[in-house]
Amino acid sequence: EAGVTQSPTHLIKTRGQQATLRCSPISGHTSVYWYQQALGLGLQFLLWYDEGEERNRGNFPPRFSGRQFPNYSSELNVNALELEDSALYLCASSLHRVMSYEQYFGPGTRLTVT
Amino acid sequence: RKEVEQDPGPFNVPEGATVAFNCTYSNSASQSFFWYRQDCRKEPKLLMSVYSSGNEDGRFTAQLNRASQYISLLIRDSKLSDSATYLCVVNVAGGFKTIFGAGTRLFVKA
């Protein structure tokens, strides 16, 4: 069974540009989570989607947004990129919106903003 | 105060040692608990869920103390391959939040 996949693996952008990151969950999983992990820091929760709707978001500005498609894949968009947005962006999926289910992570997209 | 706190370490232990990590959480509405491990520049991987009754998976034992609001992870007979960062994860009901601790680094040396 395929795991969570993310694309691209690496992304280099300049300040002020927009970045789009993509995630495909494990087959059968309906919930997708996005996290930011800056170098040497812990995971910071960004967004949670389930059944096509945004269920919760972390303490990030509105220029971080996303969506979930009918096939449960998801997209994270970061507008007006800033240098401090450079980080590893991790996507995770879980079986259902019920919070007791474990989350499984993709390999991440490493975003570098210059 | 952080919602989930872990000792950052690092813990430096010899092969074969037993090592224990603790994690405290502040939200009494926390509903489910997990330990993940993360290798350098890799994604976190689920190690085990933590149940009220405690659970064991080979050399790994996890415990939950709801009264004191902490969870623990015990690793027995440490292997070199156990070297990683161990993340404590808490899901909070109602607010539908998943909170990761900052992690505890473990180095197992020959």
Side-chain angles (χ1 to χ4, degrees), chain B residues 35-76:
Chain B
W35 283 102
Y36 283 73
R37 69 170 278 166
Q38 186 174 25
D39 294 290
C40 189
R41 299 179 72 82
K42 297 283 192 179
E43 74 274 22
K45 292 189 186 297
L46 178 67
L47 185 61
M48 57 199 307
S49 303
V50 187
Y51 305 117
S52 296
S53 55
N55 48 306
E56 186 174 311
D57 183 3
R59 299 182 293 108
F60 299 84
T61 300
Q63 297 276 354
L64 166 63
N65 185 319
R66 285 189 184 272
S68 301
Q69 296 187 188
Y70 79 83
I71 68 174
S72 64
L73 177 68
L74 183 76
I75 305 175
R76 291 181 298 277

Side-chain angles (χ1 to χ4, degrees), chain A residues 55-102:
Chain A
R55 300 294 183 182
N56 201 7
R57 65 179 292 129
N59 295 325
F60 282 84
R63 58 191 185 82
F64 287 84
S65 65
R67 54 181 170 165
Q68 186 178 34
F69 300 98
N71 66 353
Y72 304 116
S73 67
S74 177
E75 198 172 83
L76 174 69
N77 294 294
V78 188
N79 294 320
L81 284 165
E82 300 178 2
L83 296 178
E84 52 266 33
D85 296 333
S86 295
L88 179 67
Y89 288 83
L90 290 159
C91 169
S93 73
S94 70
L95 188 61
H96 195 264
R97 64 183 296 179
V98 174
M99 295 303 290
S100 60
Y101 283 110
E102 300 92 345

